[in-house]
Amino acid sequence: MSWRGTQQFFVIDLYNEELFPAPEAVNFEGFALLPKLKKDAMINKKVNNVQEALAGIENGMTLMLGGFGLCGIPENAIAELLKKQTHNLCCISNNAGVDDFGLGLLLQKKQIKKMISSYVGENDEFERQMLSGELEVELLPQGTLAERCRAAQTGIPAFFTPAGFGTEVAIGKETREFNGKMHVMELAFKADFAIVKAWKGDTAGNLIFKGTARNLNPCMAGAAKITIAEVEELVATGTLDPNQIHIPGIFVQRIFQGEKYEKRIEQRTTRKRA
Amino acid sequence: MALDKNQIAKRISQEVQNNYYVNLGIGIPTLVANYIPKGIDVEFQSENGVLGMGSFPYEGEEDPDVINAGKQTITTLPGASFFDSAMSFGMIRGQHVDLTILGAMEVAENGDIANWKIPGKMVKGMGGAMDLVASADNIIVAMMHVNKAGESKILKRCTLPLTGVGCVKKVVTELAVLEVTPKGFKLLERAPGVSVEQIIASTEATLIIEGEIPEMILA
């Protein structure tokens, strides 16, 4: 009878009559033992606002933040961190925003002690703080950064990648030859909170991303002790098509709808109409 | 006459073969997309998570959620796809991308490349460049032969922190097309009107020059 150990009672509570035939119609013994199935019993991850979502984030913690440049960044959470004045943060994020938007806002207020990123151009304050030594910076190949998130998400403690072999990125790291080519060992990240931004989400924590705003967000979901998702549109469970979900709710602990999204464009490039 | 940036891009476009998946770096490499010959089908990958990149959007149709790795607003072509960063670099490290074209500050005759940092002066970060150069079989570098002070960037050994070791296969500059061989840079072509002597004078690395060196054809 023990099917999922301590979670067993939980699982029983979740089954829905409409999704699942009545127990007597099921031949598989394990399922037949489940009592009457219940509707609308998905785990509710919804929190009311950004303040509730960020509860527990303290000075000195390590945060993962999704986004590529200013595309797909958790704008509302960053604004709240600025308001809360949480400081001494270690931020794992592909970029550090621009001077007056994204993580650049937290840099201006010296709330960030260390950045782990792959590209930090387009941010004068970042470059200034780094070159003066005020800010600790670990630069990593972008694929390595993404994979270290994914490794944390998926329970892989370390992996080997060819990226960075023979460069200063590999200094102090184990290297090994596979198939005649040298590789560098990289470790899964360890973070307290992951803050991701999605296009749509439901109260069960399921996420759908839009366009290239997807980027590192799906890799970071579930890669920290607690994952917070902010979404442009939060809908009731059952509204999203299960076939279209990019990140299942199991990777998300808290979800809220962002109050507003500025979605600033870094490089507005267009062509003239013929 | 030395080539301008568009002409460098045009020359590189001749290296793109039918049915290639191509990753274009920021700067001159981006311009290559403008010169893909008719009859050549390619798909452009941008490492922030899109395959099937199209041209820039019309004014007023920019979507902040659809950008390339240079953070520029773009469009997608029919058949395009979006994906996350881990999958994107899976495509790159897994060698599913056929050709990588990127810029450089320095390249060396052993195939080393440096393009992400000038210690104490400029630190922008490597972005996806280290993954790209470590993984791709086919790497073309688009760059200027000499810096603003007139010093060669085509070197015996790189002086700046490396992006990758022994990975560059071909270099196209405003003066020449060079191939990296086990013995060093082999001069393949020269820009129209540029002499072999001019190229030698602008190159710190050893050049292998065999027979008549043809001019590039840019028509």
Side-chain angles (χ1 to χ4, degrees):
Chain A
M1 174 74 193
S2 177
W3 182 38
R4 291 286 305 271
T6 53
Q7 283 188 34
Q8 191 190 344
F9 71 96
F10 203 44
V11 171
I12 289 167
D13 204 35
L14 286 173
Y15 277 97
N16 180 318
E17 204 160 28
E18 287 177 3
L19 292 176
F20 215 73
E24 60 269 25
V26 180
N27 294 325
F28 180 48
E29 200 186 338
F31 286 159
L33 291 169
L34 297 173
K36 193 163 186 274
L37 309 161
K38 197 173 148 190
K39 281 181 195 168
D40 304 329
M42 299 300 278
I43 303 169
N44 187 5
K45 311 284 177 67
K46 188 189 164 194
V47 292
N48 290 313
N49 49 46
V50 65
Q51 289 81 13
E52 276 182 37
L54 301 195
I57 298 186
E58 291 168 11
N59 299 338
M61 281 189 166
T62 297
L63 311 180
M64 287 178 168
L65 297 111
F68 182 95
L70 300 178
C71 183
I73 57 172
E75 293 184 22
N76 290 272
I78 292 170
E80 180 60 20
L81 286 170
L82 187 71
K83 222 159 104 188
K84 276 172 68 142
Q85 301 178 4
T86 317
H87 54 87
N88 253 350
L89 293 169
C90 171
C91 294
I92 301 167
S93 173
N94 189 55
N95 314 85
V98 295
D99 282 311
D100 60 347
F101 203 57
L103 286 180
L105 295 168
L106 303 187
L107 283 168
Q108 295 279 0
K109 297 284 180 202
K110 310 253 168 71
Q111 288 174 250
I112 301 177
K113 180 187 66 176
K114 182 178 181 182
M115 281 295 312
I116 301 176
S117 302
S118 86
Y119 188 83
V120 295
E122 280 85 64
N123 189 325
D124 295 340
E125 178 61 15
F126 185 105
E127 204 159 341
R128 191 197 64 74
Q129 286 186 21
M130 174 164 64
L131 292 173
S132 72
E134 289 165 61
L135 178 70
E136 206 183 320
V137 178
E138 185 180 346
L139 287 168
L140 291 171
Q142 200 177 123
T144 299
L145 184 91
E147 201 62 21
R148 288 181 68 177
C149 293
R150 201 171 75 126
Q153 175 193 56
T154 53
I156 304 286
F159 59 92
F160 282 91
T161 173
F165 176 77
T167 76
E168 60 186 61
V169 163
I171 293 171
K173 293 174 185 168
E174 185 182 334
T175 57
R176 203 185 288 185
E177 187 184 317
F178 295 97
N179 306 319
K181 188 169 173 169
M182 291 305 294
H183 293 76
V184 183
M185 189 173 83
E186 296 282 0
L187 302 176
F189 281 126
K190 285 190 164 73
D192 297 294
F193 283 84
I195 308 176
V196 304
K197 189 261 165 182
W199 179 37
K200 290 182 181 179
D202 66 18
T203 55
N206 295 307
L207 302 178
I208 296 177
F209 302 90
K210 179 171 162 266
T212 55
R214 194 181 311 190
N215 55 62
L216 278 142
N217 287 297
C219 315
M220 290 177 171
K225 288 176 202 156
I226 294 176
T227 295
I228 301 160
E230 65 165 85
V231 295
E232 289 176 51
E233 196 186 344
L234 183 60
V235 298
T237 52
T239 314
L240 301 176
D241 177 354
N243 287 303
Q244 305 298 325
I245 302 293
H246 292 132
I247 283 292
I250 194 167
F251 291 118
V252 175
Q253 279 71 47
R254 304 174 190 169
I255 189 165
F256 71 101
Q257 184 172 307
E259 217 162 78
K260 66 174 175 64
Y261 284 93
E262 189 177 331
K263 291 199 183 181
R264 209 183 282 188
I265 291 175
E266 230 169 300
Q267 307 281 340
R268 187 179 296 273
T269 44
T270 57
R271 68 185 141 140
K272 291 258 183 286
R273 280 172 205 280
Chain B
M1 267 290 286
L3 305 185
D4 63 24
K5 289 180 178 183
N6 279 295
Q7 289 170 311
I8 294 175
K10 198 170 182 182
R11 173 60 191 83
I12 291 174
S13 71
Q14 296 167 12
E15 306 288 323
V16 179
Q17 293 179 23
N18 199 29
N19 296 337
Y20 262 12
Y21 291 104
V22 182
N23 180 289
L24 299 178
I26 298 164
I28 302 174
T30 307
L31 300 172
V32 173
N34 297 334
Y35 300 102
I36 301 299
K38 278 207 165 60
I40 299 278
D41 293 332
V42 293
E43 281 189 33
F44 292 110
Q45 197 251 21
S46 199
E47 64 267 24
N48 57 317
V50 54
L51 195 59
M53 206 176 2
S55 40
F56 294 146
Y58 289 121
E59 278 175 24
E61 291 180 4
E62 309 92 314
D63 182 346
D65 290 330
V66 182
I67 63 168
N68 63 16
K71 284 108 179 176
Q72 297 170 313
T73 44
I74 53 156
T75 59
T76 53
L77 296 172
S81 55
F82 295 115
F83 34 85
D84 67 60
S85 303
M87 183 177 281
S88 183
F89 283 93
M91 289 175 194
I92 290 164
R93 284 191 311 265
Q95 300 194 320
H96 306 285
V97 175
D98 300 292
L99 174 64
T100 292
I101 303 169
L102 78 174
M105 296 173 185
E106 293 177 348
V107 292
E109 59 192 38
N110 59 357
D112 289 358
I113 176 171
N115 70 357
W116 71 283
K117 184 179 185 182
I118 303 173
K121 276 190 195 157
M122 190 283 294
V123 187
K124 290 193 183 300
M126 64 292 282
M130 282 193 183
D131 308 271
L132 281 158
V133 300
S135 311
D137 266 342
N138 200 358
I139 299 172
I140 300 176
V141 172
M143 67 186 293
M144 303 310 281
H145 215 99
V146 294
N147 65 17
K148 281 174 192 147
E151 296 158 342
S152 180
K153 293 158 66 165
I154 312 292
L155 307 172
K156 287 188 180 5
R157 287 292 175 271
C158 289
T159 62
L160 295 170
L162 296 180
T163 307
V165 293
C167 51
V168 176
K169 302 291 182 292
K170 207 173 243 186
V171 182
V172 180
T173 74
E174 77 279 24
L175 302 179
V177 179
L178 306 166
E179 187 188 354
V180 179
T181 71
K183 289 177 182 167
F185 286 113
K186 186 176 174 191
L187 181 58
L188 297 184
E189 296 172 26
R190 56 198 169 85
V194 171
S195 69
V196 171
E197 289 68 33
Q198 266 176 283
I199 295 167
I200 294 171
S202 302
T203 307
E204 193 237 35
T206 318
L207 279 180
I208 301 163
I209 300 162
E210 290 171 358
E212 277 294 298
I213 305 300
E215 280 190 2
M216 299 178 202
I217 297 162
L218 293 167

